Structures are given as structure tokens and as C-alpha cells.
Amino acid sequence: MTENYYKHIISVLPKCDTEDYPPELFRKFAEHAAMLRKDWPWCRDLSEGMFLSWVLCPRVNNEELSDCRELFYKELAPRVKDLSLTEAILEVNRWCAENVTYRSTDIRTASALSVYESGCGRCGEESMFAVNALRSVGIAARQVYAPWWSHCDDNHAWVEAYDGEDWRFLGACEPEPRLDLGWFIPAAGRAMLCHAKCFVGGKESWQRLLPGEDMDDVDLREGIAYISVTQRYAKVKPFTVRVTDAAGVPLTGAAVEYYVLNEGQLRRIAQRTTDSRGQATLTLGLGSLWVTARQGAMSGELFVNTAETPTVDLRLPQSAEPPASFDFLPPECSSVKPLTLSESERLLRQETLGRAKELYTARHPGGGSVPKKPELWPWQRFPEGRVPELWQDGWAHDTEPPRSCKLTLLQGGGKGSLGLMRWDEGWRSVPAPPCGCETQLPAGKYRLITSARLPNGAQLVKLHDFTLSPGESLRLTADFRQGTPDQLLQNLPMPDPGFSFDGPALLCWIDPGAEPTEHLLNELAALGEFPCPLHFICQKPPAALPQGAALHPWDGYVAETMARRLFQEPGNLPLAVLADKEGFARFASAGYNVGLIELAAELCGLIK
């Protein structure tokens, strides 16, 4: 069977993998998988498609490949061999937490072995590492990720593991006492798309490897099946784009791309090709979406809310101009509620995290170092007759386009995120120059985007389309729309803060002595009297508290959970939450924000 498994690996991996890595590496993966299939009952019980796709396959995403499975197996096999499959999944994740912790790195993904040796990685690397660990002991596992969130400027990746009956999710290197727990549940409930990658090679093999998958949930590109699992986390509906020519004749084979707005840029989350009826259907979350369609030199685009419009029509070529301003709305909070921990489970979680931290510190006294990155991207290619291209975000980018035009951006009113896009068979991001600085760009069609994000995740957007002709110099002003005070209010269910309060109240998790916290305290002192009760949660009391403010002991689990549930960055203090008497968070802010207290006082008046 080893030879058959080796041939399968070669058939499904990108061709550049078989050219960049020695055959011996893939034979080791095949030999290890053959042993698991023979000796481990839960691996033996998997269907052929499940085993080939989610245990045997060496690649998880776009990481550098490494010979890691045997090493991980030697450490994990003794810990899981006598456990049930569910407990084994949990135990593997505990081991992952003992060896790897989160640290932001660059966009290139290190190998599982590099992450293990360095002891750190971003969420994409942590989840890739955990998938390899699970597969090393014969557990079917895959990485799941939201390419881009709609409700905040970020994305995230986590893990799904098969428990013998169903896929279960977990946060990589974030051990919990049960499966289907994780801080990211509320965020995933607001995603437009969450998907997993399966390497299938040719189009003819994907149905054999993924039997039973709905075609509306599978996006086939470059030998990869992108499987939508959004329905497991969020409310979804099928969304159909019908593409025709100017006479209304359906266009077969038109490329349809789907974008969300993130960090001021249109970020592609999926791509489809129209069928014989000129239609492309994809199951998506319920929120705002930017859609483009193109065939040959013809193109068109539109802005749509999938919660309101299940089907749209695009005629090519399109003559109508896109809207100059609009509100980009994320999906509402999902009805899927996070599971709550019992007191015993909460204590177990704290003990597990404490033990993992001790073992991690013993192994990485310095706290871990940034993983060594591959010298080249795994999928770098050199098309005949063209300059080198870099494979990134799902398409090839010219590394050195000719630059003959000049653009200068001027600072206008307001603040927010700014993005610059260039049309190149779809909208592609271009680094935007700092305001006041001149940059050189190739001639072409461009779009300047400014967006101001509201606390509820919605974005107030302005577009400015322009064309740069060869040799042209252009100066543009970047203006931002700004929200009104009532637009800044939200209504988010708030986890138990660990103490009682009468709302409305301002709850502040602070770090006395740190500049951002001191700035918040200074703003409170300057205001005089805040219009509602104040509650401070900290490890050490500040030198001075506003009169009448209550002080509460620190609980790291509560602080992290509060931030995650309210879509704020954990650990970014101060965390200020304006809560109403029903226990809902009406406004939240994390980190250094000038004018925070004055704004919170104004909002407090609106909800009283």
C-alpha cells in the first residue's frame, strides 16, 4: 500500500511540490500513513476518501513541507494510545499548547517542524502545526479559516478533527475541556465564508475524495477544492450570480469573484465559473458582498447584501458606475451560542493552561523565537515570456510591473482604513502611499477606498475610481465618512464579568502604570464626573481611582473571553465596555484611543 499512497500524494500535490522536494520526503509520509492505517483502529475505520484527504496528505495549506510526522508520533502515541478518539483529539491539542504559542509573524507560512522548534507562530501556523500533529497519530484533521472577516479587520484559522461520526472544531494550541469550544465562535458566526482546503489534483478526482459534498459548497481552483463549512458556524443562504451579454444571452465560463471589505481593501474570498446557464452559485453568510464578473475584455461589478438578495444579474460589458459611497454590513451575530463551562471544567481549563505554560517555558526559556521562513514561496513560478510571478492570495502577481505614473494622496477629513486597488482581471491590492508622499505606479484602472468601521462591524465606505495614463501625475484627497454617536452603539451579549453591577456602567480592564491605561485615567480626571458607575478590573490597583469607582480582582480567563466576545483584541488594554442594565455591551474599545472617555460619556447619555 505504501507505493499506492506515494502515487496518490504525487497526483494531488501541486506540480511545483514534486519539483521542489525530494521523492524521499513523500515516501516517508506514505510509509507513516500506511503504518497508521494498519495499526490504529480510528484510522482504519476511516473511509478511503477521508484517509487520503485528511490523514495521508502532507500539505495543509501553503506551508513549507517538512518531515515532521514521525517526530510528532513518537511524542504523541504514548499519550493517546489508550484514549477514546474524542479524548485523543483533546490530548493532542494539550500537547500542542505545551510546545507552541501564538506570536504574530509575516505572511509566509513556516513548516510544522520549524514552528515546533521555534515554539511560536501566528494562527495559520498554529493550526497547520496542530493538523500535522493530529494526522501524525491517524486522526483525520483539516485547517479551517475565514479568508477575511467582515466585522473586523483581520482573519483567523482554526482546526476541525473527525471524531468518528462528525467534524468537531477546536482552537489550535488553545486547549479546552471539551470539543466545539473556542473564543472564535461568535466571530465565525458573522463570517461570510469559512472554508477548508483539500488537495485533489485533477477535477476528475475531487468527487472521489470528497463524496457527498454539495457542489455549491466546493470551489475548485488550481487543483485545490475549497470546501465551504460556513453553515457549521453561521446562518447561510445560496447566493446566485447570473451573467449575460448585452443581449441577455447567458455567458458560460465567465469568472465570478466575491469580495469583502477588510482593512480598506476589497479582499477576495472565493471565485466561481458560470455554468451552461450563465450561473454561479455559492453558499454564503448573510451580509454585504462585492461581486465582479468578467469574460475576455468584458467585465462588470455590483454591491449586494446576500441577506436581502439571493440572486443578482450582471450584464457584460457593464455601463453603470459603482456607488460612490455605501454602508458595508457584516452578518448579524449567529444564533449559534458558545457552550458554557461548568465550574469544574473552568478549573480544569485553568490547570491545563497553567501546566502547558510551565512545560512550554521549560522547553523555550526565552519565550520562543520567530520561525525560520523558507527562502522562496513554495508556489513561486516563472511563466515563459513574462517576468517572475508570485503566488499570493490565490493568484499570481507580477513582481516587477512597469511603473510610469505618479500618484500623491493628500490627507482629507476623518479617519479610518485606506486601500488602493488596481484592476488586473479582477481587483488586486496595491500598496497605498502614505499621505503627502509620491509613489510610482503602472498605468491602469485604479480604485481608492476609504472606510470607517463602526463598533457593530459595519463600515462607512467611499470609492473613487480613476485611470492613470502613461506618464500621468495625479493628486487625490483621501476623505473618510464618520459615524454619528447613535451609529456607534451596538447590542452584544456580554459574558459574565465575574461581579454584579447596575447598568448602565463603564467596565474597564486596566494595566496601571502602562501609558494607554494612564491616558484613560487622565481623561477621566479631566472629565470630572462620569455619568454612570465605574468598575475597574486589574491585577494591581492604580495610584488613584475616580471617586466612587469600584475595584475588582483580575481574572485572565474573563478578560480574554470578554475581549473575544466583543470583537476586541485580547490583551490590548485598557478594555473599556459600556454595559446597559440588561447586561448587553453597547460600546467596547481596546487599547489607546484618544477621546475614549468623552465618547463613552456621550454614549452613556444615549442609553440611559
Side-chain angles (χ1 to χ4, degrees), residues 525-577:
L527 184 66
E529 184 177 352
F530 198 77
C532 70
L534 295 169
H535 295 262
F536 290 92
I537 307 94
C538 52
Q539 292 178 304
K540 59 179 181 179
L545 275 178
Q547 186 175 3
L551 195 63
H552 304 280
W554 179 268
D555 185 319
Y557 175 76
V558 171
E560 179 179 354
T561 302
M562 184 68 67
R564 299 287 193 186
R565 297 275 182 89
L566 303 183
F567 310 113
Q568 302 296 321
E569 181 66 28
N572 190 17
L573 301 179
L575 170 64
V577 179

Side-chain angles (χ1 to χ4, degrees), residues 98 138 178 190 259 285-286 309 338 364 502:
E98 295 164 9
R178 278 187 276 163
R190 305 189 72 187
Y259 303 81
L286 310 181
T309 310
H364 302 281
D502 294 323

Side-chain angles (χ1 to χ4, degrees), residues 278-293:
Q279 296 185 2
T281 300
L282 184 61
T283 302
L284 294 167
L286 310 181
S288 293
L289 193 70
W290 197 271
V291 181
T292 66

Side-chain angles (χ1 to χ4, degrees), residues 37 122 157 204 217 226 284 348 384 428 451 487 540:
R37 189 69 158 161
R122 54 184 171 80
E204 65 282 351
D217 294 330
Y226 296 79
L284 294 167
L348 175 60
E384 184 178 354
R428 312 298 180 228
S451 68
Q487 286 180 308
K540 59 179 181 179

Side-chain angles (χ1 to χ4, degrees), residues 458-491:
Q459 298 174 82
L460 309 178
V461 186
K462 291 181 69 174
L463 301 184
H464 181 81
D465 288 354
F466 60 96
T467 300
L468 288 176
S469 302
E472 181 180 3
S473 295
L474 184 65
R475 296 165 67 88
L476 291 176
T477 301
D479 286 310
F480 294 84
R481 296 171 60 196
Q482 293 299 302
T484 60
D486 60 327
Q487 286 180 308
L488 298 177
L489 287 173
Q490 50 193 335
N491 201 41

Side-chain angles (χ1 to χ4, degrees), residues 260-498:
V260 298
L261 191 65
N262 192 292
E263 297 177 335
Q265 299 185 41
L266 293 173
R267 306 284 195 174
R268 189 176 72 168
I269 60 171
Q271 178 179 319
R272 291 296 225 181
T273 301
T274 55
D275 58 20
S276 59
R277 300 170 297 169
Q279 296 185 2
T281 300
L282 184 61
T283 302
L284 294 167
L286 310 181
S288 293
L289 193 70
W290 197 271
V291 181
T292 66
R294 54 185 168 80
Q295 189 174 77
M298 300 186 298
S299 65
E301 58 184 332
L302 54 82
F303 171 66
V304 64
N305 189 324
T306 60
E308 302 169 352
T309 310
T311 303
V312 295
D313 295 290
L314 264 174
R315 288 200 172 194
L316 308 185
Q318 185 185 44
S319 57
E321 294 292 325
S325 65
F326 55 89
D327 295 353
F328 200 96
L329 305 178
E332 296 179 356
C333 292
S334 171
S335 58
V336 177
K337 300 299 182 185
L339 298 175
T340 56
L341 295 178
S342 66
E343 185 61 27
S344 61
E345 287 176 323
R346 185 168 168 175
L347 290 174
L348 175 60
R349 182 186 190 275
Q350 290 177 335
E351 292 172 2
T352 300
L353 291 174
R355 176 63 175 160
K357 185 175 182 179
E358 289 177 4
L359 293 171
Y360 177 85
T361 302
R363 183 167 178 261
H364 302 281
S369 58
V370 176
K372 181 182 178 182
K373 301 297 180 179
E375 303 238 339
L376 294 173
W377 279 76
W379 300 345
Q380 196 170 20
R381 65 186 194 181
F382 301 87
E384 184 178 354
R386 298 185 63 182
V387 298
E389 291 185 325
L390 190 63
W391 188 263
Q392 182 179 353
D393 295 334
W395 61 79
H397 299 260
D398 287 346
T399 54
E400 297 179 358
R403 296 167 178 263
S404 61
C405 310
K406 296 179 180 179
L407 174 68
T408 303
L409 295 181
L410 306 176
Q411 181 67 55
K415 61 181 181 178
S417 296
L418 182 148
L420 185 63
M421 315 293 298
R422 181 172 182 261
W423 181 265
D424 180 14
E425 295 185 344
W427 288 112
R428 312 298 180 228
S429 62
V430 176
C435 286
C437 297
E438 181 183 82
T439 188
Q440 288 190 322
L441 295 169
K445 178 182 175 181
Y446 289 86
R447 171 167 291 166
L448 178 67
I449 304 174
T450 59
S451 68
R453 191 178 289 278
L454 301 174
N456 66 1
Q459 298 174 82
L460 309 178
V461 186
K462 291 181 69 174
L463 301 184
H464 181 81
D465 288 354
F466 60 96
T467 300
L468 288 176
S469 302
E472 181 180 3
S473 295
L474 184 65
R475 296 165 67 88
L476 291 176
T477 301
D479 286 310
F480 294 84
R481 296 171 60 196
Q482 293 299 302
T484 60
D486 60 327
Q487 286 180 308
L488 298 177
L489 287 173
Q490 50 193 335
N491 201 41
L492 294 175
M494 192 173 73
D496 182 5

